[in-house]
Amino acid sequence: NQVSFVISWVIILLLIFFAYKVSKNLQAIPGRLQAFAEIIVEMFDELTRATLGKKQSRKYLALIFSLFVFICLSNWIGIIPSIWHIVDKEVIIDIKSGEHLDINAHKELKKEWQEYNQKNKKLIFAKYITDVYNKRNNKNYAVEYHTFLPEWMTLEEPTQDLNTTLGLGLMVFVIVMFSAIKKHKIIGVFKELSNPFIVMLPLNIIGEIGKVISHSFRLFGNIKGGAIIMIVISYLISNVFLPIGLFGFFGIFVGTIQAFVFSMLALVYIAVWIAGDEEEHTEHKA
């Protein structure tokens, strides 16, 4: 998916630039930008320390923090007004042959449409072509609207694409399994998966794989579902406007919550396998 690929890299470059600006001139008394970054990092530092223990937390802090920030920006970027959706050209295409009608034929159809609307119920041009003109003339035409800039430059949430969320889920799964093998060795991992009885081994393996699916589809479903709801509501009100409150709710509030849920689930999956010893947790609580 070109849109997801391009926007994902735009977000990654923005995050690299932000990290560079913050780390370039660190001060004992932080400025606004440094203070903002420190608040977020400290919050996730406390969460990882409380979950994994003092010794293990710093190993995974960068992962959990990066997941949250990347997913959060990916969910937010769709609310930015985009000139890419401005229609630049209207074309009529023959679906069977794939050919476009020339300008003169296009103008003739426009005139027929205008004359039809003067006598009958008004229809938009695309609806007239598919519902009226095609039936009268036994044609298979359709109207296409080409945008101002290429489709791959559209500002669309990468998390609307299952490829993105599944990729993130697989990355977390690989890191979890690698961490588990590093701590328990391969034999130890199979012993853990065999609890409480050896016959549970296949089910536990399926359960671990199922985490990837649930982890990925939860994020994808919520973001895609929110986008579909906004499209439906926009259509129902004839595309005049989209309620700002609803747009902000799905774009910012739900987007932030889903980013936090995804990163916290990743933290929990890691903690199940490599959580620190009881002494570490006791020391942290003290």
Side-chain angles (χ1 to χ4, degrees), residues 11-259:
I11 293 170
I12 291 169
L13 292 174
L14 286 174
L15 291 175
I16 292 173
F17 177 74
F18 176 77
Y20 171 77
K21 290 290 290 183
V22 171
S23 60
K24 184 180 179 181
N25 189 25
L26 295 176
Q27 299 177 353
I29 302 176
R32 293 180 180 178
L33 191 64
Q34 183 180 333
F36 173 73
E38 286 181 358
I39 289 171
I40 302 175
V41 172
E42 286 176 4
M43 180 183 74
F44 279 91
D45 186 33
E46 291 177 2
L47 287 169
T48 53
R49 185 177 299 185
T51 306
L52 300 177
K54 188 175 181 181
K55 291 183 179 179
Q56 298 282 4
S57 63
R58 287 298 173 91
K59 294 180 182 179
Y60 298 92
L61 172 61
L63 170 68
I64 303 304
F65 174 74
S66 299
L67 280 173
F68 172 78
V69 176
F70 173 77
I71 295 172
C72 199
L73 286 182
S74 296
N75 295 342
W76 286 0
I77 202 165
I79 69 173
I80 300 174
S82 175
I83 63 168
W84 287 272
H85 293 148
I86 296 176
V87 173
D88 180 50
K89 188 178 181 182
E90 179 187 71
V91 296
I92 301 173
I93 185 172
D94 188 331
I95 297 176
K96 289 183 178 180
S97 64
E99 296 180 355
H100 292 180
L101 265 65
D102 58 39
I103 297 175
N104 292 329
H106 194 139
K107 289 181 178 178
E108 288 296 324
L109 285 178
K110 278 280 188 179
K111 289 181 180 178
E112 291 183 25
W113 166 62
Q114 292 169 356
E115 292 173 0
Y116 175 86
N117 276 345
Q118 290 176 358
K119 301 177 182 178
N120 301 277
K121 184 179 179 181
K122 291 187 177 181
L123 291 175
I124 61 173
F125 185 54
K127 196 75 172 174
Y128 168 77
I129 293 295
T130 56
D131 291 3
V132 179
Y133 182 83
N134 285 347
K135 292 179 180 178
R136 285 180 176 177
N137 299 278
N138 195 25
K139 298 290 185 180
N140 200 15
Y141 290 164
V143 180
E144 290 184 352
Y145 297 95
H146 295 178
T147 51
F148 180 67
L149 291 176
E151 185 180 348
W152 59 268
M153 298 182 70
T154 302
L155 287 177
E156 183 180 284
E157 302 93 322
T159 42
Q160 278 195 47
D161 183 6
L162 185 57
N163 294 306
T164 302
T165 59
L166 188 58
L168 293 171
L170 285 170
M171 180 186 71
V172 172
F173 176 76
V174 170
I175 291 173
V176 169
M177 288 295 100
F178 177 81
S179 301
I181 292 171
K182 186 177 180 181
K183 181 172 182 178
H184 301 285
K185 309 303 180 185
I186 294 179
I187 295 176
V189 170
F190 276 100
K191 285 182 179 179
E192 290 291 329
L193 291 173
S194 299
N195 287 329
F197 308 106
I198 188 65
V199 294
M200 297 298 294
L201 178 61
L203 289 177
N204 287 333
I205 292 175
I206 293 172
E208 290 297 319
I209 297 173
K211 288 179 181 178
V212 180
I213 299 173
S214 65
H215 204 192
S216 306
F217 274 77
R218 179 183 289 105
L219 177 60
F220 166 74
N222 279 282
I223 303 305
K224 192 69 173 179
I228 291 172
I229 289 172
M230 287 190 286
I231 291 172
V232 170
I233 292 177
S234 178
Y235 178 79
L236 290 175
I237 57 178
S238 301
N239 295 307
V240 176
F241 66 93
L242 189 64
I244 301 300
L246 184 65
F247 201 49
F249 174 78
F250 281 106
I252 298 175
F253 180 74
V254 174
T256 305
I257 295 299
Q258 290 305 316

